[in-house]
């Protein structure tokens, strides 16, 4: 018994004649007749009633035809899964990332994915939250990283992301603290935490790389208004300006380089966290889903807040 014989039986059942079934299958009537007779001999039962005006299925033929439909459906599903696996192993994958994720989280994930899937051509595009969300919406990226305020009120829950395309699948990649960045020797650097209301009294250097909405919301929640003297996208530029005493800033912990000169960092008061999320379309490509699975598996859980002291370098901090 072959899949070809089952497909021919189904075609004849639909068409009602061997001639029309042969036309539908792109073969000859004699090939159809030969295949069905061979199937009947193998099964030891008549499947068709042959007449001058066509054919009809016997009771056994109807039973075999129904079973053939199930078998063929399973075969088609298997073929689709195999095609998806082939696509998973070759082609391209476009990943949109926010700068902090690109600097600290993505490099080891990209390396492991490239090692596991050498035929997939990876393209990484760095942009702000708004930019990567637009790339996901337009299909310019197959998956993206975005940030959102962490939701301590919903332990283990996925934070909501404004502007996310409908139906998107979101997975939490990491959670990190928002930290005050101060010039070396600044009086607030001597405290265990920096009140947001005190930061609002200082010239402020606003990060425009994606965290501006979160920083603004933190100030509003504290009843303060930031005095934004500078608006800067690159975190290294922010650190250099803070080190020169031009102002203070707030940045995510993951954005900070391991070595930083001339600046002091302390947690905020009240404490604030943001989540780094992976966002995929409702029906992601297999390679995008595989990348997300690998990324979540490789990313360590958040470090406890007391795992390192502000202003120090500690190997236990997220890398």
């Amino acid at each position: 018994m072959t899949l070809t014989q089952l497909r021919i039986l189904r075609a004849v059942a639909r068409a009602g004649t061997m001639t029309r079934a042969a036309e539908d299958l792109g073969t000859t009537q004699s090939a159809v007749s030969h295949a069905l007779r061979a199937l009947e001999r193998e099964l030891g039962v008549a499947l068709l009633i042959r007449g001058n005006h066509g054919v009809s299925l016997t009771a056994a033929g109807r039973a075999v035809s129904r079973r053939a439909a199930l078998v063929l459906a399973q075969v088609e599903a298997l073929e689709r899964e195999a095609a998806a696996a082939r696509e998973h192993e070759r082609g391209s994958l476009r990943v949109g990332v926010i700068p902090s994720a690109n600097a600290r989280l993505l490099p080891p994930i990209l390396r492991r994915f490239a090692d596991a899937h050498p035929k997939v051509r990876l393209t990484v595009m760095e942009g702000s939250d708004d930019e990567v969300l637009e790339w996901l919406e337009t299909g310019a990226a197959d998956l993206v990283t975005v940030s959102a305020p962490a939701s301590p009120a919903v332990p283990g829950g996925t934070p909501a992301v404004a502007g996310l395309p409908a139906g998107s699948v979101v997975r939490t990649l990491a959670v990190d603290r928002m930290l005050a960045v101060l010039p070396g020797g600044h009086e607030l650097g001597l405290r265990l935490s920096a009140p947001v209301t005190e930061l609002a009294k200082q010239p402020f250097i606003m990060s425009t790389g994606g965290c501006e909405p979160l920083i603004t919301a933190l100030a509003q929640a504290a009843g303060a208004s930031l005095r934004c003297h500078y608006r800067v996208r690159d975190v290294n530029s922010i650190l250099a300006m803070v080190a020169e005493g031009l102002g203070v800033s707030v940045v995510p912990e993951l954005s900070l380089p391991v070595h930083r000169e001339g600046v002091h960092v302390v947690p905020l008061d009240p404490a604030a966290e943001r989540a780094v999320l992976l966002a995929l379309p409702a029906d992601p490509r297999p390679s995008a889903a595989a990348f997300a699975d690998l990324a979540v598996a490789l990313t360590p859980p958040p470090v406890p807040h007391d795992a390192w002291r502000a202003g120090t370098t500690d190997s236990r901090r997220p890398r």
Side-chain angles (χ1 to χ4, degrees), residues 7-259:
R7 290 190 177 100
I8 289 175
L9 177 63
R10 292 291 298 161
V12 170
R14 289 191 301 268
T17 70
M18 293 191 185
T19 300
R20 190 174 299 118
E23 292 174 352
D24 293 342
L25 294 169
T27 186
T28 64
Q29 180 180 341
S30 61
V32 169
S33 179
H34 176 77
L36 291 178
R37 290 191 182 281
L39 181 59
E40 288 176 320
R41 286 195 301 271
E42 183 174 352
L43 295 177
V45 64
L47 301 176
L48 301 173
I49 300 173
R50 296 164 174 84
N52 294 331
H53 301 290
V55 295
S56 59
L57 297 179
T58 63
R62 289 192 296 272
V64 172
S65 178
R66 287 193 297 270
R67 184 66 62 179
L70 297 176
V71 171
L72 293 173
Q74 290 297 314
V75 170
E76 290 173 0
L78 184 152
E79 291 172 343
R80 288 194 298 270
E81 291 177 0
R86 289 194 298 273
E87 175 64 20
H88 172 84
E89 295 299 333
R90 60 174 180 265
S92 63
L93 179 65
R94 300 158 299 177
V95 184
V97 298
I98 54 178
S100 58
N102 198 25
R104 303 290 293 277
L105 294 175
L106 266 294
I109 298 168
L110 293 169
R111 177 181 58 79
R112 287 285 295 274
F113 185 86
D115 290 343
H117 309 281
K119 294 183 180 179
V120 176
R121 186 175 68 257
L122 272 171
T123 301
V124 178
M125 306 175 292
E126 185 175 289
S128 67
D129 284 76
D130 289 341
E131 288 171 331
V132 298
L133 286 172
E134 181 180 354
W135 297 338
L136 186 67
E137 175 76 41
T138 61
D142 300 305
L143 77 161
V144 300
T145 62
V146 293
S147 64
S151 302
V154 187
T158 300
V161 181
L164 197 66
S168 297
V169 178
V170 178
R171 302 180 66 178
T172 300
L173 185 60
V175 175
D176 68 329
R177 292 184 293 177
M178 301 298 293
L179 301 174
V181 183
L182 310 164
H186 195 284
E187 60 179 356
L188 290 178
L190 301 177
R191 304 187 185 185
L192 294 178
S193 60
V196 174
T197 52
E198 292 297 318
L199 294 177
K201 298 176 183 179
Q202 311 289 323
F204 196 84
I205 304 170
M206 176 63 77
S207 169
T208 60
C211 289
E212 182 173 0
L214 176 55
I215 296 170
T216 301
L218 291 175
Q220 291 175 344
S225 178
L226 298 173
R227 299 162 51 197
C228 295
H229 287 214
Y230 306 94
R231 301 174 61 83
V232 182
R233 179 163 181 162
D234 179 67
V235 69
N236 289 313
S237 298
I238 292 174
L239 295 178
M241 295 173 71
V242 171
E244 287 295 328
L246 296 174
V248 301
S249 190
V250 171
V251 299
E253 185 173 353
L254 284 172
S255 295
L256 290 172
V258 175
H259 303 290

